Amino acid sequence: MQEPAPSSAPPANPSDRADIVVIGGGILGLATAREMLARQPGIRLVVLEGERTLAVHQSGHNSGVVHAGLYYAPGSLKARLCTEGKKALEAYCAEKGIVVQRVGKLVVALSAEELPRFETLEARARENGVEGLETVGPERIRELEPNAAGIR
């Protein structure tokens, strides 16, 4: 039988107890920990992370895009959570002084054949309460993104 590897962690102290332990220091683990602390102020909460720093896997490799709810069926849970989450994130960032760059998103219909899908996305976005929608033509597309081309 092999001896366990020595640990750099201090020995456990019976008086050092946690009320809640969250395993994983990625975005879900940290969001869960934050919510638990908000719901139960004063609890002793510990986040256990196997890596040396937080959010080093998928959470640290996301695109940084805040989704507005453009693609989800109106009234669906995904649409509701997306739009509510965006508002909550923006409010949190404003409260904490975190800069959010609102650069927008350009959805392009390349041809007349793509217009029905484009119009469906636009209708979904409006029903989901996506703010700042603007339908533009080829000239404005080029102004917004010189490397893009489309009819709408």
Side-chain angles (χ1 to χ4, degrees):
M1 185 152 127
Q2 200 172 7
E3 290 285 322
S7 171
S8 60
N13 181 340
S15 66
D16 292 341
R17 297 181 187 262
D19 298 311
I20 296 176
V21 176
V22 175
I23 299 173
I27 194 166
L28 289 177
L30 294 176
T32 300
R34 181 179 181 274
E35 183 64 22
M36 296 306 299
L37 290 170
R39 290 182 185 193
Q40 300 177 51
I43 61 168
R44 292 169 295 184
L45 185 139
V46 174
V47 175
L48 298 178
E49 172 55 52
E51 301 294 344
R52 292 186 181 270
T53 58
L54 300 173
V56 295
H57 293 287
Q58 188 60 38
S59 297
H61 295 85
N62 70 53
S63 64
V65 171
V66 179
H67 296 280
L70 185 67
Y71 298 104
Y72 305 120
S76 69
L77 180 60
K78 281 186 176 183
R80 186 175 59 82
L81 292 177
C82 192
T83 54
E84 289 175 11
K86 178 182 179 290
K87 288 177 186 170
L89 178 63
E90 288 172 342
Y92 177 83
C93 289
E95 176 188 322
K96 301 293 183 184
I98 299 169
V99 176
V100 175
Q101 292 181 333
R102 290 174 176 83
V103 297
K105 178 175 192 147
L106 188 60
V107 178
V108 178
L110 299 175
S111 65
E113 293 79 30
E114 292 184 344
L115 287 177
R117 174 134 167 80
F118 179 90
E119 290 162 359
T120 298
L121 283 176
E122 182 179 21
R124 279 186 177 179
R126 291 192 190 287
E127 286 184 62
N128 288 336
V130 175
E131 299 172 355
L133 292 176
E134 178 185 1
T135 301
V136 300
E139 298 80 24
R140 182 75 173 124
I141 291 172
R142 275 191 295 281
E143 287 175 24
L144 293 168
E145 177 50 66
N147 294 312
I151 62 170
R152 192 170 312 151

